[in-house]
Amino acid sequence: MGDTTRAWPTRHGGGYPPGWLVRYRRRADRAHPASRTAPLWSEHAGTVAGYSLRDEHTSTTWVPIRPRGSAADEQVSLVRATDIVDGRPPGSGEHAWN
């Protein structure tokens, strides 16, 4: 049997290891006129591209995320750990988010 004591990283702790698949919320760009009717938040999927960073002054944890389906050398985005909705280890059912 597998290790049942292993816990997945906590959402707000930002402890998602590189390679994990995550769903996250991103604020819509309200400055663009075409987006004024769009929802305030939109949901995206991506892959954790590196180790989390913690801002000591604001106590905010930032997670580097590469959008799903992007090239390995594409620029990453920093996403607040609190905006990550769900995370899974690689190979554990990314198809469920399609």
Side-chain angles (χ1 to χ4, degrees), residues 42-62:
S42 60
E43 195 170 286
H44 301 273
T47 304
V48 177
Y51 292 99
S52 302
L53 308 166
R54 180 114 174 128
D55 183 335
E56 294 178 8
H57 301 288
T58 63
S59 297
T60 302
T61 299
W62 296 93

Side-chain angles (χ1 to χ4, degrees), residues 4-94:
T4 58
T5 61
R6 186 181 131 228
W8 285 10
T10 59
R11 178 177 152 197
H12 298 289
Y16 296 100
W20 272 52
L21 309 170
V22 293
R23 284 186 309 128
Y24 59 97
R25 299 177 307 177
R26 172 154 288 163
R27 202 167 182 71
D29 179 13
R30 292 292 185 173
H32 192 276
S35 67
R36 295 192 193 261
T37 60
L40 184 60
W41 291 92
S42 60
E43 195 170 286
H44 301 273
T47 304
V48 177
Y51 292 99
S52 302
L53 308 166
R54 180 114 174 128
D55 183 335
E56 294 178 8
H57 301 288
T58 63
S59 297
T60 302
T61 299
W62 296 93
V63 182
I65 307 272
R66 185 170 285 113
R68 185 172 67 189
S70 64
D73 62 348
E74 188 168 324
Q75 184 175 355
V76 299
S77 298
L78 290 178
V79 175
R80 290 182 308 180
T82 54
D83 290 339
I84 295 176
V85 178
D86 190 17
R88 299 171 187 219
S92 67
E94 178 183 15

